[in-house]
Every structure is written in C-alpha cells, then in structure tokens.
C-alpha cells in the first residue's frame, strides 16, 4: 500500500470551509473513462473527460485531497521548478510553454467557476534572489517570462526588501499571476464542482488491479470492478503496485511543512503585499501567510529521524534570520507529504492502449495539475501525438531504483553547500 495512510494537513483541514465526501465503490460498474487518483491532477482530468463526452468515474484510494494536493504549502506558481521559458520551449515545445504560462489562470478560473472557498489570494508570487548572481538571473528570467506572455517584473534590492518586509536578499522578480490558496480546501471544492457536473467519485476505493481484456480495461477495487475504455492515472508520488514501472520512474521525496500560531500585528509586517514567497536556493526557503496570519513554511531534511522537532526548529531559525521575533513563536503545526521528482525535473506524460499517466510535478504542481487535466484526458482518449500539448514518452523505470529512492535525500547537504558557496548564508 503506497497511498496516504495519515490524514492530510490538519491546519488546512481545520481552516477549510469546503467539505466533500463520496461513497466507496461497492458494485460492478461501467464507464467510458476512469481516473485513478483524487488529487488535483485526477480531478482536473475527470472534468476534462466529462467535457469530452465521457461518462467518467474517479477512484480515490483514501480520501480526496489525502495526497500531496491536500498537504502542499499552497503557493500558486505558473512556472516549472528548474527550467525557464526558453528551456521549456526547447525541450517540450511552445504549446507546453503556453500551458505552463497560463496554468495559474486555469487554477484561479476553477476557483471562480465552482465558487471554491479556499482563501484564494492572487497578489503574486515572489522569487527573491539569495546571491548577486541569482539577482542578475532573476532579472533575465522575469524578462523571459514577460516574453512568454506572463505578467512578470524584475525587482531590485530595495523593492524585494519592501515586498518581503525585511532585508537579506539581493533582488528577485514578481509573477503577478501567482498567489496562494488553502490547497486542501481547493481540492475538496474542485471535487464538489466536478461531482456536481456529473463525475462519479468513489473514495476509499483503491484501484488494486488494472487488466486489459480485449478492447477494454477492467479495474478492480476491494469491493467492486469497473469496465472502461479509457484509463487516466494521476497517482502522483503515491502510486505503487498498481503500475510498478510508473512508480519506479519517479523519486518520491518527503517534504515537510510547519506553521506558526497566528502572529497578530507581526503578520502585517511580513510579506505586506500578501505574496507567496519561494527563493532561488536549491534547498528552497519559502513561506506564505494563511487567512488568520500564521506563517506557513517548510523544507527538506536529509534524514527523517526526529523530523517533527527538527524541521520546525530549522524553519524557525531560517525565518528568524529575516524576522527575529519569530524565534520565540511556537510552531504548533507540522505535517509532511510526498513530492514526485523526475531526474530531468520535467513533468512526464505516458500513454498507450487507452491508458495514460501524468507524473513529475517536482514540487510545483498545484497550477500545473489544473492545466494538465485536458492533456491527460486527450492522451487517454488517443488523440494524435501532434495534438498533445505535452509530448508523451515511454515509461522509464530508474535503474537501481531502491538505492536511488532511499538515498535521494542525501543530495541535500550538497544543495546546501552550493547555496552557501554562491554567497554566505544570511
Ligand atoms: C509538502 C508539499 C508542499 C508542496 N507545496 C506546493 C506549493 O506550494 N505549490 C505547488 O504548486 N506545489 C506544491 N507541492 C506539489 C503539489 O502538491 C503536487 O504537485 C500536486 O498536488 C500533485 O497532485 P496530484 O493530483 O498529481 O497528486 P496527489 O494530490 O498526491 O494525488 C494522488 C492521489 O492518488 C491516490 N492514489 C494512489 N494510488 C491509488 C490507487 N491505486 N487507486 C486510487 N487512488 C490512488 C492517492 O491516495 C492520492 O490522493 C507540494 C507538495 C508537497 C508534498
């Protein structure tokens, strides 16, 4: 069993006014299309399949939002993690660059369409530069995103200091199309909207087997089966035995989150423009505020031992470099989730025989998964390759997978050294 066993982020569920629940599958059913996975990618795909005329069933192993979608920091970012616009266009083509550039619009469009109550704030996403060299690159990156049609602007050192509410960065850029949401509430609201449109959702219904029978697929869950023409797999970093080669094509990396208590007047001085913030370090530093003035941040650890105390302490130390008052503030909220990393840091689309899958958001998937719904639906339905916005590729399990997966976190000290080597830490 690889699907989430623990409840999603308690802070996000506590703050969520969206509610959603759906019955388990207890019968034999038929559908034109089945989506496996009830995160944002699966829900967006189910909506797209419905809009393409398919009677659609979505199977979720645990509860909607139990995976990364309900555990994220909630930053809406219309870019990829590593590749800038030119590199995206070169490697995956102009149509995919256009999709990425418009992905935050798609997410906020879904918020409006379904009236999703997820504390959506669209005031922009900041990327502060942690070194002078990164500040120069940030300027070029902002220009490249403007060229790609995104509402981006470079920020000099004074502007970034004002936007953060504290000195410590050398410049950066602002993507005005970004923002932040309660990702769990967004996922539940999306499920509510998608179900109201006609998608049949079943929670606590893990797809245990996927069998090709003639021109159909048969999907087996603990208490039922579905016969269908088309299958879209959107299990992110939580896929497992159902499609072992797919699971072994990504590295599932645990990411930890921590949040302060409401900060009162101090919250007004931190990120006064209410932007989302993730910097240019490889060992990323990031934060955003929630609607009650908590600061929600997170990070990675090389080893998991004692994570529940070590990670909040690390986050508090880092935040205190910018805002010294944070040092004495408790961090009562802690949770973690899994990120689907690919070796080339690009998202991957796979398909064949009425079956398609999308994996590899590399930690920046909230907006991307919304925009990818139509692409995964088209891939499952057998659209010709030139019509697919993301070129499909064969599933390539990583060699020495067990070793790679268990040692991936060990790269963290190297990342920290590289960040430090660019400029001594704050
Ligand atoms: C801690 C953390 C912080 C993050 N912060 C951000 C952020 O600020 N901004 C951003 O853009 N991205 C962020 N991300 C990444 C983002 O959350 C993900 O890219 C995105 O949510 C992935 O959505 P998904 O639908 O592909 O996967 P998931 O949301 O993980 O959904 C997959 C679902 O598949 C289900 N499943 C698995 N196997 C089966 C099966 N056999 N049958 C049925 N169902 C199955 C699982 O139960 C799960 O619910 C973060 C991720 C984490 C973990």
């Amino acid at each position: 069993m690889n699907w989430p066993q623990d409840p999603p982020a308690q802070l996000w569920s506590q703050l969520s006014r969206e509610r959603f629940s759906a019955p388990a599958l207890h019968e034999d059913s038929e559908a034109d299309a089945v989506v496996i996975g009830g995160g944002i990618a699966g829900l967006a795909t189910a909506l797209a399949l419905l809009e393409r005329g398919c009677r659609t069933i979505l199977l979720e192993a645990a509860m909607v939002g139990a995976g990364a979608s309900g555990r994220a920091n909630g930053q809406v970012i219309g870019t990829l993690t590593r590749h800038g616009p030119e590199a995206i266009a070169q490697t995956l083509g102009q149509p995919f660059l256009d999709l990425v550039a418009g992905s935050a619009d798609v997410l906020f469009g879904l918020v409006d369409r379904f009236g999703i109550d997820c504390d959506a704030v669209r005031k922009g996403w900041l990327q502060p530069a942690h070194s002078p060299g990164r500040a120069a690159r940030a300027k070029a990156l902002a220009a490249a995103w403007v060229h790609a049609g995104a509402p981006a602007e470079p920020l000099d050192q004074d502007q970034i200091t004002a936007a953060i509410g504290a000195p410590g960065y050398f410049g950066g850029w602002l993507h005005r199309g970004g923002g932040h949401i309660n990702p769990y509430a967004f996922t539940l609201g999306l499920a509510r909207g998608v179900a109201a449109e006609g998608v049949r959702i079943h929670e606590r219904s893990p797809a245990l087997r996927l069998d090709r029978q003639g021109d159909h697929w048969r999907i087996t869950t603990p208490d039922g089966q579905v016969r269908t023409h088309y299958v879209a797999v959107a299990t992110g970093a939580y896929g497992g035995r159902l499609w072992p080669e797919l699971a072994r094509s990504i590295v599932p990396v645990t990411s930890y989150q921590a949040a302060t208590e409401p900060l009162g007047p101090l919250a007004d001085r931190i990120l006064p423009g209410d932007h989302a913030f993730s910097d240019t370090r490889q060992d990323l530093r990031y934060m955003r505020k929630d609607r009650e003035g908590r600061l929600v941040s997170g990070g990675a650890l090389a080893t998991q031992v004692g994570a529940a105390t070590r990670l909040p302490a690390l986050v508090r130390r880092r935040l205190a470099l910018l805002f010294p008052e944070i040092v004495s503030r408790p961090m009562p909220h802690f949770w973690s989730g899994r990120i689907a990393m690919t070796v080339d840091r690009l998202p991957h689309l796979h398909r064949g025989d009425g079956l398609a899958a999308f994996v590899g958001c590399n930690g920046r998937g909230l907006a991307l998964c919304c925009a990818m719904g139509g692409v995964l639906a088209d891939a499952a339905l057998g659209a010709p390759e030139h019509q697919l916005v993301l070129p499909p590729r064969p599933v390539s399990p990583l060699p020495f997978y067990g070793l790679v997966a268990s040692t991936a976190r060990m790269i963290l000290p190297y990342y920290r050294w590289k960040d430090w080597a660019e400029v001594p830490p704050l």
Side-chain angles (χ1 to χ4, degrees), residues 239-284:
R241 269 180 248 155
L242 180 69
W243 189 345
E245 295 80 14
L246 182 71
R248 291 203 303 268
S249 71
I250 55 130
V251 181
V253 172
T254 300
S255 171
Y256 300 96
Q257 303 290 291
T260 64
E261 60 186 1
L263 293 175
L266 173 58
D268 299 335
R269 286 197 282 120
I270 300 176
L271 295 171
D274 210 358
H275 301 117
F277 162 124
S278 17
D279 77 6
T280 48
R281 288 181 170 86
Q282 302 219 46
D283 180 20
L284 197 64

Side-chain angles (χ1 to χ4, degrees), residues 4 36-37 39-41 60-61 68-69 72-75 207 238 337 361 363-366:
I36 301 176
I40 296 173
E60 163 53 44
S69 300
N73 189 259
Q75 304 203 14
Y238 292 88
C361 291
R364 203 165 280 182
L366 298 180

Side-chain angles (χ1 to χ4, degrees), residues 36 207-221 224-231 233 241-243 353-355:
I36 301 176
L208 301 175
R209 288 184 54 137
L210 192 52
D211 297 306
R212 189 72 178 156
Q213 296 186 337
D215 62 347
H216 283 80
W217 289 97
R218 180 168 294 279
I219 301 171
T220 308
T221 70
Q225 293 195 338
V226 193
R227 195 177 125 94
T228 183
H229 288 284
Y230 308 110
V231 182
V233 176
R241 269 180 248 155
L242 180 69
W243 189 345
D353 242 1
L355 173 69

